[in-house]
Amino acid sequence: MLTYLINGISLGSVYAIIALGYTMVYGIAKMLNFAHGDVIMIGGYVAFCTSTYWGWSPIPATFFAIAVCTLLGIVIEKLAYKPLRSATSLAVLITAIGVSYFLQNAALLIWTSNPKSFPNFVGLGNLTMGDVSISGTAIVTILANIVIMIILTLFTNKTKVGKAMRAVSEDQGAAQLMGINVNRTISVTFAIGSGLAAIAGILLCSAYPTLMPTTGSMPGIKAFTAAVFGGIGSIPGAMIGGLLLGVIEIFGKAYISTQLSDAIVFAVLIIVLIVRPTGLLGKKITEKV
């Protein structure tokens, strides 16, 4: 049982890192970037190519993948979302879906549909304690999630850019009147979220070493579910939602059914939203008329 719990926390840590991208973009730009899951896939392919074809070691390959995905996030925001600042949410949603399909088909043309065997970037053996065996990938994934959460929390609370992000999150108009560059702040948010997506993609592919153009689709959907579960727009909520989602999924596979594990995850989400529509840590927003 302890092994399942640790595996669930490890998987949930990946979901939490991905969910951070969703929740930051929604909290600041008030839009859902459904192409976020495909940025995970791009990060995985970049790391795979630099490691397999160029012979790079895992650390520089990881940093290169983060840099590429960060740049990709900025380009996506500038070309696809910035022109839609004053558009309806439906227009933004359709655009996000279009960007998602564009990235998937671009990956299909470049790398074909044949699954790639992703190398293990962690390179640590299993840690055995009695009857419990913990993979090195699980340990690194959990530690990476903790470190990212600490750094991101300090960044948003202590730095000038982080405080600007919080101000834009509260009121874009008021933030602009105070001299904050709203467009640049949103671009920074996309850059950070996309960089985190690269890390999540590498950790996910190290744990489940099969890489395809659709690799990021289901983890992206589940991470969005985790963000809603924890309270979309809340950074701690993204972490809690991701961890709970991972644990529920692993225990569902272990004790109920591997075929029904996804259905169990979404059923729990529905129940939580019925009881608490804003999510576990979400805040109820009252709109003045």
Side-chain angles (χ1 to χ4, degrees):
M1 183 174 178
L2 183 58
T3 302
Y4 292 141
L5 178 61
I6 294 170
N7 289 336
I9 294 173
S10 174
L11 179 60
S13 295
V14 175
Y15 289 156
I17 296 171
I18 304 170
L20 284 171
Y22 278 113
T23 204
M24 287 177 65
V25 169
Y26 180 83
I28 293 169
K30 296 297 182 288
M31 59 160 290
L32 297 173
N33 179 23
F34 280 113
H36 191 64
D38 299 289
V39 177
I40 300 167
M41 173 267 298
I42 297 295
Y45 270 114
V46 171
F48 170 81
C49 290
T50 53
S51 175
T52 304
Y53 302 142
W54 298 355
W56 289 16
S57 60
I59 293 177
T62 298
F63 279 106
F64 185 71
I66 293 171
V68 170
C69 287
T70 299
L71 181 61
L72 178 62
I74 295 172
V75 170
I76 290 173
E77 192 276 327
K78 294 290 186 186
L79 296 181
Y81 299 135
K82 186 178 178 181
L84 301 175
R85 285 279 192 271
S86 58
T88 63
S89 56
L90 180 60
V92 177
L93 178 62
I94 293 172
T95 301
I97 295 171
V99 173
S100 173
Y101 279 115
F102 173 80
L103 293 176
Q104 284 188 27
N105 283 278
L108 190 64
L109 289 172
I110 297 171
W111 292 292
T112 73
S113 60
N114 297 325
K116 312 292 184 184
S117 181
F118 194 86
N120 190 336
F121 269 42
V122 175
L124 296 178
N126 292 352
L127 175 64
T128 303
M129 296 181 296
D131 296 332
V132 179
S133 180
I134 309 169
S135 70
T137 303
I139 296 171
V140 170
T141 301
I142 295 170
L143 291 176
N145 181 41
I146 294 171
V147 170
I148 287 170
M149 284 298 306
I150 293 172
I151 292 174
L152 197 58
T153 301
L154 291 174
F155 174 79
T156 55
N157 290 330
K158 302 296 183 181
T159 66
K160 185 177 179 181
V161 177
K163 291 176 181 177
M165 291 167 63
R166 290 165 58 197
V168 173
S169 168
E170 290 292 332
D171 191 321
Q172 289 189 15
Q176 193 165 14
L177 290 173
M178 295 299 292
I180 294 173
N181 189 324
V182 173
N183 288 329
R184 185 173 62 190
T185 303
I186 293 175
S187 293
V188 169
T189 305
F190 269 85
I192 294 172
S194 298
L196 293 177
I199 298 173
I202 291 170
L203 292 173
L204 179 68
C205 291
S206 294
Y208 305 93
T210 301
L211 183 59
M212 300 172 62
T214 56
T215 291
S217 298
M218 185 54 72
I221 292 172
K222 289 180 180 178
F224 170 69
T225 303
V228 176
F229 193 6
I232 193 158
S234 168
I235 291 177
M239 181 178 182
I240 293 172
L243 293 176
L244 289 175
L245 207 71
V247 170
I248 292 169
E249 181 176 341
I250 293 298
F251 274 90
K253 287 180 179 179
Y255 293 107
I256 301 177
S257 170
T258 54
Q259 287 80 18
L260 294 177
S261 60
D262 291 344
I264 293 168
V265 166
F266 293 116
V268 170
L269 172 68
I270 292 170
I271 293 170
V272 169
L273 292 181
I274 290 173
V275 176
R276 189 174 174 81
T278 57
L280 297 177
L281 299 183
K283 296 179 181 178
K284 187 176 181 181
I285 300 174
T286 303
E287 294 186 2
K288 295 181 179 179
V289 179

